[in-house]
Amino acid sequence: NPVISDCDVDAADLHLLLKPVINREHSFSGGKKAKINPNICTQCCICQDHCRFNAIENFVVDLMKCEGCGFCAKLCPADAISFDDVINGYCFEGHTPHDPFVWAKLNPGEGNSGKLVTFVKKIAERIIIENSYRWYFVDGPPGIGCPVNASITGADYALLITEPTVSGIHDLQRISELVRRFNIP
């Protein structure tokens, strides 16, 4: 009776196969984004002129371009820019006919996928502790980026699977080196 999680938060698909029933949904905030209050803004253009990401146009923040650095909020002489948490994705707790299942979906264009994987694993660990489960299976994402590192952190074993393509073999070699570096059999 394992707890299972899909930590490929950029393209979660294991829920399509396992068809879990959702018990709880959690919103995930992995960062902040700027927002300009038009009632306070003096339209001095300082924020627009200094935004490295060109995320501010006509005194409105484009949330797809905003990287959440907060520089505009620090520069604003009128304190018209708030820097608020944004919802980057959602995490779901559920169960299949046999096992608890946890997965998440990162919203399109959002970052912090490694943080969302950590969030998924914390929820799964709570389920493990509360119910004295012995096994925890993590379906991780491809590649070797932040979500992969977060997926294998704390693992006792790793089973590496790839497709027989040049890029698949290349990624397999890189993840093999990574798990060896972490001493994960």
Side-chain angles (χ1 to χ4, degrees):
N1 60 344
V3 173
I4 302 169
S5 64
D6 185 348
C7 287
D8 187 1
V9 299
D10 291 301
D13 59 4
L14 194 55
H15 67 283
L16 300 173
L17 178 67
L18 298 179
K19 297 180 177 26
V21 173
I22 298 173
N23 299 333
R24 291 173 70 185
E25 181 178 325
H26 308 270
S27 59
F28 169 74
S29 175
K32 298 175 181 282
K33 300 245 178 157
K35 182 177 181 182
I36 299 173
N37 183 335
N39 298 324
I40 301 172
C41 179
T42 62
Q43 299 187 354
C44 68
C45 296
I46 293 173
C47 60
Q48 289 184 174
D49 293 343
H50 289 87
C51 178
R52 294 180 52 187
F53 307 103
N54 297 316
I56 303 171
E57 190 173 317
N58 296 320
F59 314 105
V60 175
V61 178
D62 181 339
L63 296 179
M64 292 299 283
K65 291 182 180 179
C66 180
E67 290 288 324
C69 69
F71 191 56
C72 58
K74 293 189 184 313
L75 289 177
C76 183
D79 288 328
I81 303 175
S82 60
F83 199 55
D84 303 322
D85 288 337
V86 293
I87 303 300
N88 302 101
Y90 296 90
C91 181
F92 306 93
E93 285 182 60
H95 64 276
T96 69
H98 306 287
D99 306 304
F101 182 56
V102 183
W103 75 105
K105 293 181 183 179
L106 194 65
N107 290 343
E110 295 291 345
N112 296 317
S113 55
K115 288 182 180 180
L116 182 50
V117 168
T118 300
F119 187 69
V120 167
K121 289 178 71 178
K122 284 183 180 178
I123 290 172
E125 288 167 8
R126 177 186 45 79
I127 294 169
I128 291 165
I129 291 167
E130 287 175 356
N131 299 285
S132 300
Y133 283 100
R134 185 172 175 207
W135 293 98
Y136 177 35
F137 295 122
V138 176
D139 178 19
I144 63 161
C146 290
V148 174
N149 289 317
S151 294
I152 65 171
T153 298
D156 294 319
Y157 302 97
L159 174 62
L160 308 177
I161 301 170
T162 190
E163 74 248 4
T165 63
V166 173
S167 63
I169 300 301
H170 180 260
D171 282 353
L172 180 64
Q173 290 168 337
R174 293 176 70 197
I175 190 68
S176 295
E177 291 173 20
L178 185 63
V179 296
R180 275 197 302 274
R181 179 162 294 186
F182 285 140
N183 295 318
I184 300 171

